[in-house]
Amino acid sequence: MMSILAVLAALALCAAQWFIWVHAPVEATLGLIQKIFYVHMPLAGWSMVSFLVCFLASAGYLWRRRPALDLLAGASAEIGVVFSGLALVTGSLWARASWNVWWTWDPRLTTTLIMWFVYAAYLSLRASALPAERRSLAAAVLGVVAFLDVPLVFLSARMWRSIHPAVLASQGGGLEPEMLTTLFFCLGAVGLLWLWLVLFRARQLAAAARIEAAMVFDR
């Protein structure tokens, strides 16, 4: 299954390049630099899905104490931190072209940066030297609490005055049909990559946990 998913993700990402560079028109104001949006938006969106999975798995672990849920929470948080970090980088590149600055303390950007730091702290806690069961329990609590910032990131451009556009607003964000088609295809392609990465990383963490348990038992 993992091999099939990897092939599908690779094919979808390759096809997404055709949509980005051929199917989607060149934006009149920004030109080619606008096409970074088709990478930026999926990375940002799937990072929030990652943190939602982390929240649900953490809550499930607090309820059931199942190690598999703890591992899923850790894997999804890792991928979420990577994706949100890349979203911040690509967003800065886009901001330079759009607003002539690399960074501004806009509500969307600020809440996203806070979200990145909170989940980076979550990963630091998971890497700490605490006993395994206590570490998992503390991480699960933080995984639940940390999610409070994620809805703020999603709603920030709508709740507060923001220069960051709400792309998928009720008016459609002003995107041409070809742009919307490209955006949704890229969302699907990056989603396949995200799913493969989360599952693969969860398997790695499970294998590492088995090795650690075996080493403790041998002692």
Side-chain angles (χ1 to χ4, degrees), residues 196-218:
W196 182 83
L197 287 172
V198 170
L199 294 177
F200 182 76
R201 184 57 180 152
R203 286 190 175 190
Q204 281 188 322
L205 292 175
R210 289 194 297 269
I211 292 172
E212 182 179 357
M215 292 176 64
V216 171
F217 180 77
D218 288 342

Side-chain angles (χ1 to χ4, degrees), residues 11-34:
L11 291 175
L13 289 170
C14 290
Q17 299 306 305
W18 180 86
F19 276 90
I20 292 171
W21 299 106
V22 179
H23 183 71
V26 177
E27 205 273 332
T29 303
L30 295 176
L32 287 176
I33 192 64
Q34 181 270 343

Side-chain angles (χ1 to χ4, degrees), residues 92-137:
S92 294
L93 295 174
W94 192 15
R96 177 61 177 174
S98 299
W99 309 323
N100 201 35
V101 292
W102 293 105
W103 181 265
T104 180
W105 294 103
D106 176 80
R108 171 63 61 83
L109 277 64
T110 303
T111 52
T112 301
L113 183 62
I114 292 171
M115 180 180 70
W116 188 90
F117 275 115
V118 168
Y119 281 96
Y122 170 87
L123 296 182
S124 297
L125 174 60
R126 294 191 66 92
S128 67
L130 290 171
E133 186 174 349
R134 184 179 174 188
R135 182 177 63 222
S136 297
L137 183 60

